[in-house]
Amino acid sequence: MRNSLLVCGLVLLATAFAASAREATPVGEDPAIEHRMMALAAELRCLVCQNQTLADSQADLAADLRQEIRELMKKGQSDEQVKQYLVARYGDFVLYRPPMKTVTWLLWFGPGLLLVGGLAALYLVILRRRRLAAAEPLSADQEKRALALLSEDGASSGT
């Protein structure tokens, strides 16, 4: 019984590995083009992963784009021409360092504006708390009334 469970477990494990196996990524025939492609792919964003470069991504689309870059380079296109082709097709988002344009100002300056806004809000909250702390203290009459209300509340909540 124990041996059959062990065999079943090993078979399941082997099928899981076989199901996740993928075809090896093709490597270009020309090492110079491969080196250029990887250098350029390090400057381009994976459209699926978004936080990885094309060079680092294992997504199928990234592999397809790397192959497309190889083919464009084999046709004699420069790195800049390949970038322009990809930007025309996918927009500035494909660039890891997008250019400074009016459309990308929020992308460039948004984090700084959020930081300044957050610091301004923090300053206003601290200022407001200081004003509340500096408010005039309760008079003796007000203090007696507050204590009476609290003692009534404490007595009624105890029942």
Side-chain angles (χ1 to χ4, degrees), residues 14-156:
T15 55
F17 281 123
S20 67
R22 295 173 52 180
E23 194 174 310
T25 56
V27 177
E29 300 110 27
D30 186 359
I33 287 182
E34 190 67 19
H35 180 71
R36 266 185 62 208
M37 185 277 303
M38 289 306 284
L40 182 60
E43 298 177 23
L44 301 170
R45 181 185 315 275
C46 174
L47 300 170
V48 175
C49 307
Q50 298 182 4
N51 286 334
Q52 284 185 315
T53 64
L54 277 181
D56 297 333
S57 176
Q58 297 300 317
D60 291 336
L61 179 64
D64 292 344
L65 286 174
R66 286 191 299 265
Q67 184 59 36
E68 190 168 355
I69 292 170
R70 275 187 203 98
E71 290 170 11
L72 291 171
M73 288 179 169
K74 285 178 187 176
K75 290 179 184 176
Q77 290 191 8
S78 69
D79 291 1
E80 195 57 40
Q81 288 172 323
V82 173
K83 272 188 196 178
Q84 288 173 359
Y85 171 78
L86 291 171
V87 167
R89 194 165 181 190
Y90 300 107
D92 285 331
F93 183 74
V94 77
L95 300 174
Y96 229 69
R97 282 167 273 177
M100 179 78 71
K101 297 180 181 177
T102 54
V103 214
T104 59
W105 281 356
L106 187 60
L107 179 68
W108 282 99
F109 300 116
L113 291 172
L114 284 174
L115 178 66
V116 168
L119 290 175
L122 179 65
Y123 175 75
L124 291 175
V125 166
I126 290 172
L127 191 64
R128 185 174 179 197
R129 286 188 179 198
R130 281 187 184 166
R131 285 185 191 153
L132 288 175
E136 56 183 76
L138 296 175
S139 66
D141 216 19
Q142 291 172 331
E143 195 172 333
K144 284 180 186 176
R145 187 168 168 224
L147 287 172
L149 286 172
L150 286 173
S151 65
E152 284 177 17
D153 189 40
S156 65

